[in-house]
Amino acid sequence: MTKSLLNIEDLIVSVEDKEILHKLDLEVKEGETHVIMGPNGAGKSTLGNAIMGNPQYSIDGGKIIFDGEDITDLSPDKRANKGLFISFQNPIEVPGITLGNFTKTALEAHTGERLRLWDFKKEAKKVLEMLDMDPSYADRDLNVGFSGGEKKKAEIFQLLMLKPKLAILDETDSGLDVDAVRIVSEGVKIYKEQMGGSLIIITHSTRILDALDVDHTNVLVRGSIVASGDRKLIDEINEHGFEKYI
Ligand SMILES: Nc1ncnc2c1ncn2[C@@H]1O[C@H](COP(=O)(O)OP(=O)(O)OP(=O)(O)O)[C@@H](O)[C@H]1O
Ligand SMILES: [Mg+2]
């Protein structure tokens, strides 16, 4: 039997005193790929933020179990060190810290070991080349002046360097040109197949899913999961929209 990796039970989440997620349940098993679809404002990014422990999102009920441990009250950095990763819908710019240093520091925090700069640079160069990004991006301040597509690729760079147990990708494909979608999708495939990663993919466009095996599709409407199914559900939504769930 496959091990349960993430288990969310009866989760209630509020933002600024407004309840957004209502008693939500979700289970992701090791190696699975879950897709979350839903109308704008349904609470998809809220769910990602709550799983990562963003303090703006208050957990008012229920619990989050990750890799056998109750992480409901854990700080975001501890969650990250346990192997959780989120690629944000709108990645923030961090002047003064380079993409390379940021990733190296995170990697050292996860493993508890100092990394030799040379080893890190070698691996970083390999991943950046795979993403069709010039190796000099590692020396640029994190996301500062990056184009929309470059920011998304920088998130995939971190994903492939950090090799988390579970990655939440929040609209990682939005705003990418056709070639970039293919490259990002290839990166996600490597994460899943070669690193044994598990995924929650939040998306409106399903282009990024073309090359991936999807195990479960969850439809989130007004803070609740109203339908779940396999890959066929994605095609159905693409064809008929969310109307029947609203
Ligand atoms: N930090 C925040 N401050 C105030 N309101 C928020 C915040 N985060 C989310 N909300 C509100 O919670 C609701 C759900 O937002 P959320 O970002 O989770 O939607 P979503 O499903 O990701 O939508 P989209 O498809 O447009 O990305 C919205 O009404 C939004 O305005
Ligand atoms: Mg969102």
Side-chain angles (χ1 to χ4, degrees):
M1 215 176 72
T2 323
K3 210 178 114 196
S4 177
L5 184 61
L6 179 75
N7 217 329
I8 297 177
E9 291 169 23
D10 289 335
L11 192 71
I12 300 173
V13 177
S14 318
V15 185
E16 290 175 355
D17 293 328
K18 186 172 169 235
E19 190 174 303
I20 307 291
L21 300 181
H22 320 289
K23 289 202 159 204
L24 187 139
D25 292 309
L26 180 71
E27 187 189 17
V28 179
K29 292 188 173 153
E30 254 172 20
E32 279 184 347
T33 298
H34 278 244
V35 171
I36 299 188
M37 298 181 82
N40 293 132
K44 303 178 300 295
S45 296
T46 299
L47 176 62
N49 275 292
I51 296 172
M52 282 315 293
N54 182 334
Q56 281 183 322
Y57 297 77
S58 145
I59 297 183
D60 296 340
K63 58 183 172 183
I64 305 173
I65 311 288
F66 178 64
D67 207 14
E69 189 186 330
D70 188 336
I71 61 160
T72 317
D73 300 317
L74 227 54
S75 64
D77 58 318
K78 292 214 174 83
R79 294 182 198 214
N81 289 348
K82 277 186 64 65
L84 266 173
F85 173 91
I86 189 163
S87 149
F88 289 103
Q89 189 170 356
N90 305 303
I92 52 159
E93 301 189 359
V94 189
I97 301 173
T98 66
L99 171 63
N101 268 335
F102 179 81
T103 310
K104 183 169 176 284
T105 306
L107 204 48
E108 288 173 339
H110 292 192
T111 57
E113 281 169 32
R114 281 295 298 266
L115 257 172
R116 280 170 52 200
L117 188 61
W118 195 80
D119 291 337
F120 175 81
K121 285 206 156 162
K122 200 171 120 194
E123 178 73 12
K125 186 165 177 276
K126 206 172 81 188
V127 174
L128 285 167
E129 273 169 7
M130 192 236 112
L131 293 170
D132 200 23
M133 288 177 95
D134 192 275
S136 66
Y137 276 92
D139 301 320
R140 280 178 59 176
D141 284 1
L142 182 61
N143 292 329
V144 177
F146 284 24
S147 78
E150 287 164 352
K151 282 183 185 170
K152 302 279 166 157
K153 281 191 187 179
E155 301 268 302
I156 300 300
F157 168 74
Q158 292 168 57
L159 172 74
L160 292 173
M161 294 298 291
L162 296 174
K163 307 179 180 65
K165 289 186 190 133
L166 176 69
I168 303 167
L169 307 182
D170 193 354
E171 298 192 25
T172 302
D173 48 348
S174 74
L176 295 180
D177 68 45
V178 276
D179 295 327
V181 168
R182 192 178 35 76
I183 291 167
V184 161
S185 166
E186 196 54 41
V188 173
K189 201 172 162 157
I190 289 173
Y191 165 70
K192 186 180 157 88
E193 291 174 4
Q194 294 177 22
M195 303 175 182
S198 311
L199 289 153
I200 296 177
I201 302 178
I202 299 169
T203 187
H204 290 296
S205 126
T206 48
R207 289 179 307 169
I208 195 177
L209 305 174
D210 288 348
L212 293 173
D213 292 325
V214 172
D215 300 296
H216 289 279
T217 307
N218 308 280
V219 183
L220 185 66
V221 175
R222 290 204 201 97
S224 303
I225 290 177
V226 295
S228 44
D230 56 18
R231 193 179 186 118
K232 289 198 277 290
L233 188 50
I234 299 173
D235 301 329
E236 197 205 298
I237 288 166
N238 279 338
E239 202 174 325
H240 303 291
F242 296 113
E243 199 169 313
K244 79 182 231 200
Y245 303 106
I246 296 173

